[in-house]
Amino acid sequence: MNFNSGHGYLLIGGLILIGGGLLILSLIVNLWVAHSVRDDVRHREKLLEYHRNIFSQLGVILIGIGVSLFIFFFQQNYQDQRKRDTELQQVMAKLAARIARGSAVAGSLGEFDELLDQGGPYVSPEIGGNNAAVSAQGGAALAKQVSQILLVERDVDVQDFDILNLSRDFESSFVVNELNPTLWFNLVRDEADIKYATTQIALDYKDLQDAIGGEPVETAVADPEKARRIKQEVLDIFYDADLLRQRSRRFLARACWLFSNGRGFVKLAPVEAIEADTRSHQKWIDRAKPVLTQMTSGSGDCFKLLQFGPAS
């Protein structure tokens, strides 16, 4: 029986109330016994004594059961609360560690920002505009772009983004049952997208190397057919890199927001500015920044944690 649900209180209160009623009834019967003794009605006296004893014994038993249940439920509730506090403390510690390590990993996202947002915010391979990530189609521009991408491959270990995983910390605690369902769904979805993006980027880099074919980049892009293949692989890398930076930063923003609310984070409702799916990463940044700058984690606000912008 769940003491916190109120059923335990009702049971205990009912037992004590009934037990007290029986004791009061035994006192009333005892008055009748006294009258019987005074009137010298032996038969009625014995009958009333029998009922008095039954009522008093049942009353004492029921009150005893009620008090025992109260002590049991109180101890159980105390132990459950202690266990909950311990689990919450452990989850908070893991959350802090994820944020700290995730912030270090997020520093490498600036490498992708510099590539993706040249000439304007990156949207998608189909929507180019002034964005050089899409518009660079051949010659020196494409060769420069490919060289930059290969440098990023060397500098950024995408497998480090595996640290961005909170669900495994929450699954082993009560948090998974109390966290807002929308938050939980978005958290797991972002983790899945991060895993997908890191896997695909590694494959995309391999495909790009195959498209280059071991030749110098300038020589490879001089061949129109190779240039077309190389540009397609470049666009694939950009698509997955953009997915990685969007999901990673939203993950960190959400984690920082949860941590900034302390132990009460399990009762929070989603913040639209953080959870929104936007047309571009820049639009998400513009919406989330005013909210995140008001939240702190460690020595800085949650927006600084994202380390948005070209790598220094």
Side-chain angles (χ1 to χ4, degrees), residues 180-197:
N180 182 279
T182 300
L183 277 177
W184 177 250
F185 173 81
N186 290 346
L187 175 67
V188 174
R189 183 186 64 172
D190 286 350
E191 290 176 353
D193 285 345
I194 291 170
K195 181 65 176 178
Y196 170 83

Side-chain angles (χ1 to χ4, degrees), residues 71-88:
I71 295 173
F72 170 77
F73 282 138
F74 180 81
Q75 291 177 337
Q76 187 67 38
N77 187 58
Y78 177 76
Q79 290 174 358
D80 290 344
Q81 188 61 42
R82 286 290 301 273
K83 180 180 178 182
R84 186 182 188 279
D85 290 342
T86 300
E87 286 185 3
L88 187 56

Side-chain angles (χ1 to χ4, degrees), residues 18-37:
I18 294 172
L22 289 172
L23 287 179
I24 293 173
L25 184 58
S26 71
L27 292 175
I28 295 173
V29 173
N30 191 57
L31 293 176
W32 296 346
V33 170
H35 287 300
S36 299
V37 171

